[in-house]
Amino acid sequence: MTGGSDMKNFPLHKVVRLIEPGPVVMVSTLYHGRANLMTMGFHMMMQHDPPLIGAIVGPWDYSYDALHTTGECVIAIPGVDLIDKVVDIGNCSGNEVDKFAHFAFTRRKAKQVAPPLVDECLANIECRVADTQLVGQYDFFILEAVQAWINPERKEQRIFHHKGDGTFSVAGRTLNRQDRMIRWKQFQD
Ligand SMILES: Cc1cc2nc3c(=O)[nH]c(=O)nc-3n(C[C@H](O)[C@H](O)[C@H](O)COP(=O)(O)O)c2cc1C
C-alpha cells in the first residue's frame, strides 16, 4: 500500500546517510617508525568474544599500507569535544602531515601492539588484523581487539556519528532496558 503514506522515495546513493554506523573513530597506525591517524566512520562490531571489528580502510588512505603491512592498529574513540580535529584528520594525509604533532594528540604506549594509543580519547582498542579475505574487493579488514582501555574520568563522554555528508549527530541519553534483555543476560555486567 503506497497511497496516503508520508514515505518519500530516497536516492540509493544517499542510503549511507540513513544507516551510516558510528561512532566516528580514529585509526592509529605505525609505519616506517612514524605514527599516523585517520578518521573512520565505516566500521562494525562482528563478534562478541573474541571481539571482531570490521573496518573499511581504503587504498586512498596512507593508513591502508600501514595496516596491510604491519597488521596492527589502535582504534581510538574521540569525545564530541574533539570533532573539529577528527574531521580535519580525515581531510589530510599522513603522507604530508605528522598528524599527532600537528593536531597535538598525545601518544601513549599500547600494551599488545606497536601503534600508539591516543591519550585524549574516550577509549582505545588495540587491534590485530585477523582476516584480509575481503580487503581486495571491499577494503574490509577484519580486526581482532586484543586489549582495550577507557578513560571514565574524562569529562566529555559523548560520542558522535557521521551522517554521511559532513554532518554529525551526537549520542544522547542512555536508555536502560536491561530488564527486557532476558535472552542476552550474558552481555550485561
Ligand atoms: C567523518 C569521516 C569519516 C571517514 N570514514 C572513512 C572510512 O570509514 N574509511 C576510509 O577509508 N576513509 C574514511 N575517511 C577518510 C579518511 O579519514 C581520509 O582519507 C584520511 O585523510 C586518511 O588519512 P591517511 O592518508 O593519513 O591514512 C573518513 C573521513 C571523514 C572526515
Side-chain angles (χ1 to χ4, degrees):
M1 198 169 82
T2 51
S5 169
D6 288 333
M7 285 286 172
K8 304 272 187 293
N9 183 51
F10 191 72
L12 281 179
H13 71 278
K14 293 186 181 174
V15 163
V16 59
R17 299 186 191 179
L18 302 177
I19 204 168
E20 210 263 355
V24 175
V25 300
M26 294 186 291
V27 181
S28 161
T29 47
L30 184 77
Y31 196 36
H32 299 314
R34 197 160 66 82
N36 185 40
L37 289 168
M38 70 164 262
T39 304
M40 179 171 73
F42 282 8
H43 58 80
M44 62 179 290
M45 281 307 303
M46 298 175 66
Q47 183 173 286
H48 276 94
D49 195 15
L52 293 182
I53 302 162
I56 303 287
V57 177
W60 54 86
D61 302 314
Y62 179 70
S63 306
Y64 176 92
D65 281 341
L67 186 58
H68 212 297
T69 309
T70 67
E72 293 185 342
C73 67
V74 170
I75 295 180
I77 305 173
V80 68
D81 50 317
L82 297 175
I83 187 169
D84 290 347
K85 286 191 184 190
V86 172
V87 172
D88 290 351
I89 279 170
N91 282 274
C92 63
S93 178
N95 237 341
E96 302 145 2
V97 186
D98 178 345
K99 298 196 208 180
F100 268 97
H102 185 79
F103 294 100
F105 279 127
T106 312
R107 282 161 253 223
R108 287 271 174 251
K109 203 168 162 30
K111 195 165 176 194
Q112 313 279 351
V113 300
L117 314 179
V118 184
D119 202 41
E120 288 77 6
C121 282
L122 283 169
N124 283 275
I125 306 170
E126 300 181 25
C127 296
R128 280 204 195 93
V129 173
D131 194 330
T132 56
Q133 279 183 74
L134 295 175
V135 171
Q137 198 171 356
Y138 297 110
D139 310 321
F140 188 84
F141 290 82
I142 299 178
L143 309 173
E144 180 177 345
V146 293
Q147 183 93 37
W149 308 92
I150 59 165
N151 181 354
E153 306 305 322
R154 194 182 195 281
K155 197 156 173 240
E156 177 58 85
Q157 288 283 332
R158 289 175 303 164
I159 53 178
F160 59 101
H161 297 240
H162 189 206
K163 301 192 82 175
D165 59 351
T167 67
F168 297 83
S169 58
V170 183
R173 282 189 303 146
T174 299
L175 304 177
N176 188 328
R177 294 291 180 277
Q178 287 179 329
D179 56 341
R180 307 180 79 90
M181 296 287 281
I182 49 178
R183 288 183 68 186
W184 311 107
K185 291 250 180 255
Q186 69 271 32
F187 298 128
Q188 296 171 29
D189 277 330

